[in-house]
Coordinates of all heavy atoms in Angstrom, one line a residue:
P206 N 27.7 17.5 -2.6 CA 27.5 17.1 -1.1 C 28.2 18.0 -0.2 O 27.7 18.2 0.9 CB 28.1 15.7 -1.1 CG 28.1 15.2 -2.5 CD 28.3 16.4 -3.3
A207 N 29.3 18.6 -0.6 CA 30.0 19.6 0.3 C 29.2 20.8 0.6 O 29.3 21.5 1.6 CB 31.3 19.9 -0.3
S208 N 28.3 21.2 -0.4 CA 27.5 22.4 -0.2 C 26.3 22.3 0.8 O 25.7 23.2 1.2 CB 27.0 22.9 -1.5 OG 26.1 21.9 -2.1
K209 N 25.9 21.0 1.1 CA 24.8 20.8 2.0 C 25.3 21.2 3.5 O 26.4 20.8 3.9 CB 24.4 19.3 2.0 CG 23.7 18.9 0.7 CD 23.3 17.5 0.8 CE 22.6 17.1 -0.5 NZ 22.1 15.7 -0.5
K210 N 24.4 21.9 4.2 CA 24.6 22.2 5.6 C 24.2 21.1 6.5 O 23.1 20.6 6.4 CB 23.9 23.5 6.0 CG 24.3 24.7 5.2 CD 23.5 25.9 5.7 CE 24.0 27.2 4.9 NZ 23.3 28.4 5.4
P211 N 25.1 20.7 7.3 CA 24.7 19.6 8.3 C 23.7 20.0 9.3 O 23.7 21.2 9.7 CB 26.1 19.3 9.0 CG 26.9 20.6 8.9 CD 26.5 21.2 7.6
Q212 N 22.7 19.2 9.6 CA 21.7 19.5 10.5 C 22.3 19.4 11.9 O 22.9 18.5 12.3 CB 20.5 18.5 10.4 CG 19.8 18.5 9.1 CD 18.7 17.5 9.0 OE1 18.5 16.8 9.9 NE2 18.0 17.5 7.9
T213 N 22.0 20.5 12.7 CA 22.6 20.6 14.0 C 21.6 20.0 15.0 O 20.4 20.3 15.0 CB 22.8 22.1 14.4 OG1 21.5 22.8 14.3 CG2 23.8 22.8 13.5
T214 N 22.1 19.1 15.8 CA 21.3 18.4 16.9 C 21.8 19.0 18.2 O 23.0 19.2 18.4 CB 21.6 16.9 16.8 OG1 23.0 16.7 17.0 CG2 21.1 16.3 15.5
P215 N 20.9 19.2 19.1 CA 21.2 19.7 20.4 C 22.2 18.7 21.1 O 22.0 17.5 21.1 CB 19.9 19.8 21.2 CG 19.0 18.9 20.5 CD 19.4 18.9 19.0
S216 N 23.2 19.3 21.7 CA 24.2 18.5 22.4 C 23.6 18.0 23.7 O 22.6 18.4 24.2 CB 25.4 19.4 22.7 OG 25.1 20.4 23.5
S217 N 24.3 17.0 24.3 CA 23.8 16.4 25.5 C 23.9 17.3 26.7 O 23.1 17.3 27.6 CB 24.7 15.1 25.8 OG 26.0 15.4 25.9
S218 N 25.0 18.2 26.7 CA 25.1 19.1 27.8 C 24.0 20.2 27.8 O 23.5 20.5 28.8 CB 26.5 19.8 27.7 OG 26.5 20.6 26.5
S219 N 23.6 20.6 26.6 CA 22.5 21.6 26.5 C 21.2 21.0 26.9 O 20.4 21.6 27.6 CB 22.4 22.2 25.1 OG 22.1 21.1 24.2
S220 N 20.9 19.7 26.6 CA 19.7 19.0 27.0 C 19.7 18.8 28.5 O 18.7 18.9 29.1 CB 19.6 17.7 26.3 OG 20.7 16.8 26.7
K221 N 20.9 18.6 29.1 CA 20.9 18.4 30.6 C 20.6 19.8 31.2 O 19.9 19.8 32.2 CB 22.3 18.0 31.0 CG 22.7 16.6 30.5 CD 24.1 16.3 30.9 CE 24.5 14.9 30.4 NZ 25.9 14.6 30.6
Q222 N 21.1 20.9 30.7 CA 20.8 22.2 31.3 C 19.3 22.5 31.2 O 18.7 23.0 32.1 CB 21.6 23.2 30.6 CG 23.1 23.1 30.9 CD 24.0 24.1 30.1 OE1 23.4 24.9 29.4 NE2 25.3 24.1 30.3
I223 N 18.7 22.2 30.0 CA 17.3 22.4 29.9 C 16.5 21.6 30.8 O 15.5 22.2 31.5 CB 16.9 22.1 28.4 CG1 17.5 23.1 27.4 CG2 15.4 22.2 28.3 CD1 17.3 22.8 26.0
R224 N 16.8 20.3 31.0 CA 16.0 19.5 31.9 C 16.2 19.9 33.3 O 15.3 19.9 34.2 CB 16.3 18.1 31.7 CG 15.9 17.5 30.3 CD 16.3 16.1 30.1 NE 15.9 15.6 28.8 CZ 16.2 14.5 28.3 NH1 17.0 13.6 29.0 NH2 15.8 14.1 27.1
G225 N 17.5 20.3 33.7 CA 17.7 20.8 35.0 C 17.0 22.1 35.3 O 16.4 22.2 36.4
S226 N 17.0 23.0 34.4 CA 16.2 24.2 34.6 C 14.7 24.0 34.7 O 14.0 24.6 35.4 CB 16.5 25.2 33.5 OG 16.1 24.7 32.2
T227 N 14.2 23.0 33.9 CA 12.8 22.7 34.0 C 12.4 22.1 35.3 O 11.4 22.5 35.9 CB 12.5 21.6 32.9 OG1 12.8 22.2 31.6 CG2 11.0 21.3 32.9
R228 N 13.3 21.3 35.9 CA 13.1 20.8 37.2 C 13.1 21.9 38.3 O 12.2 21.9 39.2 CB 14.1 19.7 37.6 CG 13.9 19.1 38.9 CD 15.1 18.1 39.2 NE 14.9 17.5 40.5 CZ 14.3 16.4 40.8 NH1 13.8 15.7 39.8 NH2 14.3 15.9 42.0
K229 N 14.0 22.8 38.1 CA 14.1 23.9 39.1 C 12.9 24.8 39.0 O 12.3 25.2 40.0 CB 15.4 24.7 38.8 CG 15.7 25.8 39.8 CD 17.0 26.5 39.5 CE 17.3 27.5 40.6 NZ 18.6 28.2 40.3
K230 N 12.5 25.1 37.8 CA 11.3 26.0 37.6 C 10.0 25.2 38.1 O 9.1 25.9 38.5 CB 11.1 26.4 36.2 CG 12.2 27.3 35.7 CD 12.0 27.7 34.2 CE 13.1 28.6 33.7 NZ 12.9 28.9 32.2
G231 N 10.0 23.9 38.1 CA 8.9 23.2 38.5 C 8.6 23.2 40.0 O 7.4 23.4 40.4
Y232 N 9.6 23.2 40.8 CA 9.4 23.2 42.2 C 9.4 24.5 42.9 O 8.9 24.7 44.0 CB 10.4 22.3 42.9 CG 11.7 23.0 43.4 CD1 11.7 23.5 44.8 CD2 12.8 23.2 42.6 CE1 12.8 24.1 45.2 CE2 13.9 23.8 43.1 CZ 13.9 24.3 44.4 OH 15.0 24.9 44.9
R233 N 9.9 25.6 42.2 CA 10.0 26.9 42.7 C 8.6 27.5 43.0 O 8.4 28.0 44.1 CB 10.7 27.8 41.8 CG 12.2 27.7 41.8 CD 12.8 28.1 43.2 NE 14.2 27.9 43.3 CZ 14.9 28.1 44.4 NH1 14.3 28.5 45.4 NH2 16.2 27.9 44.4
P234 N 7.6 27.4 42.2 CA 6.3 28.0 42.5 C 5.7 27.3 43.8 O 5.1 28.0 44.6 CB 5.4 27.7 41.3 CG 6.4 27.6 40.2 CD 7.6 27.0 40.8
I235 N 5.8 26.0 43.9 CA 5.3 25.3 45.0 C 6.1 25.7 46.3 O 5.5 25.9 47.4 CB 5.4 23.7 44.8 CG1 4.5 23.4 43.6 CG2 4.9 23.0 46.0 CD1 4.5 21.9 43.3
F236 N 7.4 25.8 46.2 CA 8.2 26.2 47.3 C 7.8 27.6 47.8 O 7.8 27.9 49.0 CB 9.7 26.1 47.0 CG 10.6 26.6 48.1 CD1 10.5 25.9 49.3 CD2 11.4 27.6 47.9 CE1 11.4 26.3 50.4 CE2 12.3 28.0 49.0 CZ 12.2 27.3 50.2
K237 N 7.5 28.6 46.8 CA 7.1 29.9 47.2 C 5.8 29.9 47.9 O 5.6 30.6 48.9 CB 7.1 30.8 45.9 CG 8.4 31.1 45.3 CD 9.3 31.8 46.3 CE 10.7 32.1 45.7 NZ 11.6 32.8 46.7
A238 N 4.9 29.0 47.4 CA 3.6 28.9 48.1 C 3.8 28.3 49.5 O 3.1 28.7 50.5 CB 2.6 28.0 47.3
F239 N 4.7 27.4 49.6 CA 5.0 26.8 50.9 C 5.6 27.9 51.9 O 5.2 27.9 53.1 CB 6.0 25.7 50.8 CG 6.5 25.0 52.1 CD1 5.7 24.0 52.6 CD2 7.6 25.5 52.7 CE1 6.2 23.4 53.8 CE2 8.1 24.9 53.9 CZ 7.3 23.8 54.4
Q240 N 6.4 28.7 51.4 CA 7.0 29.8 52.2 C 5.9 30.8 52.6 O 5.9 31.3 53.8 CB 8.1 30.5 51.4 CG 9.4 29.8 51.3 CD 10.4 30.6 50.5 OE1 10.1 31.2 49.5 NE2 11.7 30.5 51.0
G241 N 4.9 31.1 51.7 CA 3.8 32.0 52.1 C 3.0 31.4 53.2 O 2.6 32.2 54.2
R242 N 2.7 30.1 53.2 CA 1.9 29.5 54.2 C 2.7 29.5 55.5 O 2.1 29.6 56.6 CB 1.4 28.1 53.8 CG 0.6 28.0 52.6 CD -0.8 28.7 52.7 NE -0.7 30.1 52.6 CZ -0.5 30.8 51.5 NH1 -0.3 30.2 50.3 NH2 -0.5 32.2 51.5
L243 N 4.0 29.2 55.4 CA 4.8 29.2 56.6 C 4.9 30.6 57.3 O 4.9 30.7 58.5 CB 6.2 28.7 56.2 CG 7.2 28.5 57.4 CD1 6.6 27.5 58.4 CD2 8.6 28.0 56.9
Q244 N 5.0 31.6 56.5 CA 5.0 33.0 57.0 C 3.6 33.3 57.7 O 3.6 33.9 58.8 CB 5.2 34.0 55.9 CG 5.4 35.4 56.4 CD 6.5 35.7 57.3 OE1 7.7 35.2 57.0 NE2 6.3 36.3 58.4
D245 N 2.5 32.8 57.1 CA 1.2 33.0 57.8 C 1.2 32.3 59.1 O 0.6 32.8 60.1 CB 0.1 32.4 56.9 CG -0.1 33.2 55.6 OD1 0.4 34.4 55.6 OD2 -0.6 32.7 54.6
W246 N 1.8 31.1 59.2 CA 1.8 30.3 60.5 C 2.6 31.1 61.5 O 2.2 31.2 62.7 CB 2.5 29.0 60.2 CG 2.6 28.2 61.5 CD1 1.7 27.3 62.0 CD2 3.7 28.2 62.4 NE1 2.2 26.8 63.2 CE2 3.4 27.3 63.5 CE3 4.9 28.9 62.4 CZ2 4.3 27.1 64.5 CZ3 5.8 28.7 63.5 CH2 5.5 27.8 64.5
K247 N 3.8 31.7 61.1 CA 4.6 32.4 62.0 C 3.9 33.7 62.5 O 3.9 34.0 63.7 CB 5.9 32.8 61.4 CG 6.9 33.5 62.3 CD 8.2 33.8 61.6 CE 9.2 34.4 62.5 NZ 10.5 34.7 61.9
D248 N 3.2 34.4 61.7 CA 2.4 35.6 62.1 C 1.3 35.2 63.0 O 1.1 35.9 64.1 CB 1.9 36.3 60.9 CG 3.0 36.9 60.0 OD1 4.1 37.0 60.4 OD2 2.7 37.1 58.8
T249 N 0.6 34.2 62.7 CA -0.5 33.7 63.6 C 0.0 33.3 65.0 O -0.6 33.6 66.0 CB -1.3 32.6 63.0 OG1 -1.7 33.0 61.7 CG2 -2.5 32.2 63.8
N250 N 1.1 32.6 65.0 CA 1.7 32.2 66.3 C 2.2 33.4 67.1 O 2.0 33.4 68.3 CB 2.9 31.3 66.0 CG 3.6 30.8 67.2 OD1 3.1 29.9 67.9 ND2 4.7 31.4 67.6
D251 N 2.7 34.4 66.5 CA 3.1 35.6 67.2 C 1.9 36.3 67.8 O 1.9 36.8 68.9 CB 3.8 36.6 66.3 CG 5.2 36.0 65.9 OD1 5.7 35.1 66.5 OD2 5.8 36.5 64.8
Q252 N 0.8 36.4 67.0 CA -0.5 37.0 67.5 C -1.0 36.2 68.7 O -1.5 36.8 69.7 CB -1.5 37.1 66.4 CG -1.1 38.0 65.3 CD -2.2 38.0 64.2 OE1 -3.3 37.5 64.4 NE2 -1.8 38.6 63.1
L253 N -0.9 34.9 68.6 CA -1.4 34.0 69.7 C -0.6 34.3 71.0 O -1.2 34.4 72.1 CB -1.3 32.6 69.3 CG -2.5 31.9 68.7 CD1 -2.2 30.6 68.1 CD2 -3.7 31.8 69.7
E254 N 0.7 34.4 70.9 CA 1.5 34.7 72.0 C 1.2 36.0 72.7 O 1.1 36.2 73.9 CB 3.0 34.6 71.7 CG 3.9 34.7 72.8 CD 5.4 34.4 72.4 OE1 5.6 34.3 71.2 OE2 6.2 34.4 73.3

Side-chain angles (χ1 to χ4, degrees):
S208 62
K209 292 183 179 180
K210 294 182 179 180
Q212 296 180 355
T213 58
T214 58
S216 61
S217 59
S218 61
S219 62
S220 63
K221 293 174 184 178
Q222 294 176 358
I223 292 175
R224 292 176 181 176
S226 62
T227 302
R228 181 185 178 95
K229 186 176 181 180
K230 291 179 181 178
Y232 93 92
R233 281 297 177 182
I235 299 178
F236 179 60
K237 291 301 179 182
F239 178 86
Q240 286 180 319
R242 302 292 77 76
L243 184 60
Q244 184 64 47
D245 294 340
W246 178 91
K247 186 177 180 181
D248 295 339
T249 305
N250 182 76
D251 293 341
Q252 293 178 14
L253 269 169
E254 189 172 4

